[in-house]
Amino acid sequence: EAQVTQNPRYLITVTGKKLTVTCSQNMNHEYMSWYRQDPGLGLRQIYYSMNVEVTDKGDVPEGYKVSRKEKRNFPLILESPSPNQTSLYFCASSSGTLSSYEQYFGPGTRLTVT
Amino acid sequence: AQTVTQSQPEMSVQEAETVTLSCTYDTSESDYYLFWYKQPPSRQMILVIRQEAYKQQNATENRFSVNFQKAAKSFSLKISDSQLGDAAMYFCAYRVPNTGNQFYFGTGTSLTVIP
């Protein structure tokens, strides 16, 4: 089954404790992205990647890191989480022009930083 | 900076009726992609419909269609014969061309379907 998986689905952590949210896709997509969703703000792109070792900052990259060492994986790293990073996070992947860049989203990760 | 605006935070529609959700965007590009995504209470993001800017014809997917007005930078979603399962948050999205897949989303419209 074609899918984007994220782990963990739920995470409660404390300020300053480094964490990683994993994202993996099995569709051989070139493009991958991370978003955060907050009430009243919609989805905002954190980072995006067009292929292995190629990443770019989105609208809200501060406080986050990413890496793309393998085509299928795109982990999101919070080196020192803060309460303002409490949010719902989505990973997404897409192919190129043949599929009109349709994004396939993971199920989301609910992160709470206390 | 490119922006996407959804001016209707909430909308409601009677079952079997038609509703239109509005979206405007700002860009200086001529060729780009626009999308509508649905997010039901499960939180899963589901593609509803897409539009390529160079195509004059409005996209249609079953009961869902768009009114794409390129000059006005408007991209509204029409849902015909509304069903209870259409109740969800709807997001409009714009893909910035010639980037590594940079996207901008609107703030969403919460649609309630009244039986």
Side-chain angles (χ1 to χ4, degrees), chain A residues 37 45 48 94 102-103 105, chain B residues 37 39 44 50 100-101 103:
Chain A
Q37 182 180 4
Q45 197 172 36
Y48 55 96
S94 63
E102 172 189 349
Q103 291 193 95
F105 284 82
Chain B
Y37 281 89
Q39 186 182 45
Q44 183 65 45
R50 70 172 76 87
N101 228 31
F103 272 83

Side-chain angles (χ1 to χ4, degrees), chain A residues 8-12 37 87-89 108-112, chain B residues 43:
Chain A
R9 295 288 309 280
Y10 300 90
L11 179 60
I12 300 174
Q37 182 180 4
S87 188
L88 177 62
Y89 290 87
T109 294
R110 172 71 71 185
L111 172 65
T112 302
Chain B
R43 298 289 191 184

Side-chain angles (χ1 to χ4, degrees), chain A:
Chain A
E1 179 190 356
Q3 61 182 349
V4 179
T5 57
Q6 293 178 229
N7 283 292
R9 295 288 309 280
Y10 300 90
L11 179 60
I12 300 174
T13 189
V14 297
T15 298
K17 185 177 181 181
K18 180 179 178 179
L19 66 91
T20 299
V21 184
T22 64
C23 173
S24 184
Q25 50 95 3
N26 63 1
M27 295 168 279
N28 201 37
H29 284 167
E30 301 93 331
Y31 301 102
M32 297 187 75
S33 293
W34 275 103
Y35 296 89
R36 60 177 290 173
Q37 182 180 4
D38 302 289
L41 296 178
L43 277 79
R44 292 178 294 167
Q45 197 172 36
I46 303 171
Y47 272 95
Y48 55 96
S49 169
M50 64 183 298
N51 217 321
V52 174
E53 303 292 1
V54 182
T55 62
D56 277 299
K57 295 179 181 179
D59 227 18
V60 288
E62 296 78 18
Y64 304 95
K65 285 177 57 177
V66 293
S67 68
R68 186 99 182 267
K69 292 184 169 53
E70 301 169 289
K71 194 173 184 179
R72 62 182 294 130
N73 296 324
F74 192 44
L76 179 70
I77 303 158
L78 284 72
E79 295 268 1
S80 182
S82 63
N84 65 13
Q85 293 177 300
T86 291
S87 188
L88 177 62
Y89 290 87
F90 286 100
C91 180
S93 73
S94 63
S95 187
T97 52
L98 287 180
S99 68
S100 302
Y101 301 101
E102 172 189 349
Q103 291 193 95
Y104 292 79
F105 284 82
T109 294
R110 172 71 71 185
L111 172 65
T112 302
V113 184
T114 60

